Amino acid sequence: MTATRAQNAKTTRSTENTMTAAAPSALDAPVLPPVPTTSLAPAAPATTTRPTWDRLVEAVRDSGQYATDEKAAHVTRIVLAALGGHVVGDERVELAQRLPEEAARLIASQIPVNRPLTAAQFVDRVATRIEGATPATARWDVSSVLSALPHFVDDTLIDRVLAELPSGYALLFGRPQLIQAS
């Protein structure tokens, strides 16, 4: 009986050694490249440079054919402040991020309006803020500023801003007003 036990123990150890030898070890496993992990830290801000206020004023001066940078800057401040109350949400934030800092402050500092003005009402409101302006000169001023913005902001953002505003603003941004067929 003792010989049988010794034989069984020997067979068991032999089977264990065979199984152990057949099983792959950690050393035999292929080495895989590390898996990239996603960081929970905020992404670094884009390194795009903001345009300067002077560049924006120059674009408005050229667009509106103003005699001086001072006149173009004055009109730009008034129009952007008026626009700031009408553009809200992500579009407002993106617009402010892509324009010069002074323009961004003008837009972001405005309290959003309860009811957006029509394009004609918007022009009339701007006319009340510019000394000696008429509806015609105010429309010129508004168009001079708003049509300069696409030079600093991509078309997709302008499309989103226009989608947020009542119809009629596209012309002020220098775009044709598309009317859907009934």
Side-chain angles (χ1 to χ4, degrees):
M1 190 149 157
T2 310
T4 308
R5 265 193 212 158
Q7 183 62 32
N8 285 343
K10 190 176 186 184
T11 305
T12 304
R13 277 192 298 264
S14 172
T15 306
E16 286 173 358
N17 288 341
T18 306
M19 289 169 61
T20 305
S25 71
L27 297 175
D28 295 334
V31 177
L32 299 174
V35 177
T37 58
T38 305
S39 170
L40 297 178
T47 57
T48 57
T49 341
R50 279 185 153 179
T52 64
W53 174 255
D54 290 339
R55 218 170 126 224
L56 176 60
V57 169
E58 181 182 331
V60 170
R61 182 178 177 178
D62 290 346
S63 175
Q65 301 176 356
Y66 295 105
T68 65
D69 285 346
E70 292 76 24
K71 175 66 176 172
H74 178 70
V75 167
T76 302
R77 284 186 187 93
I78 291 170
V79 172
L80 290 180
L83 181 66
H86 288 76
V87 179
V88 296
D90 292 341
E91 288 74 22
R92 180 179 177 151
V93 171
E94 270 190 64
L95 189 60
Q97 287 174 340
R98 295 184 188 184
L99 292 176
E101 287 183 35
E102 186 171 343
R105 282 192 301 273
L106 289 166
I107 290 170
S109 66
Q110 302 307 307
I111 297 170
V113 297
N114 292 331
R115 184 181 57 86
L117 300 174
T118 66
Q121 291 169 328
F122 182 82
V123 169
D124 290 343
R125 176 73 50 88
V126 169
T128 65
R129 297 177 182 180
I130 299 174
E131 187 177 333
T134 65
T137 61
R139 183 176 173 83
W140 180 269
D141 293 336
V142 169
S143 292
S144 297
V145 174
L146 297 184
S147 66
L149 294 184
H151 299 290
F152 301 93
V153 178
D154 64 33
D155 287 339
T156 306
L157 179 55
I158 296 294
D159 290 342
R160 289 177 25 224
V161 167
L162 287 171
E164 200 177 289
L165 297 169
S167 101
Y169 278 83
L171 289 172
L172 297 174
F173 278 86
R175 292 184 169 191
Q177 180 70 42
L178 302 176
I179 300 172
Q180 294 180 351
S182 310

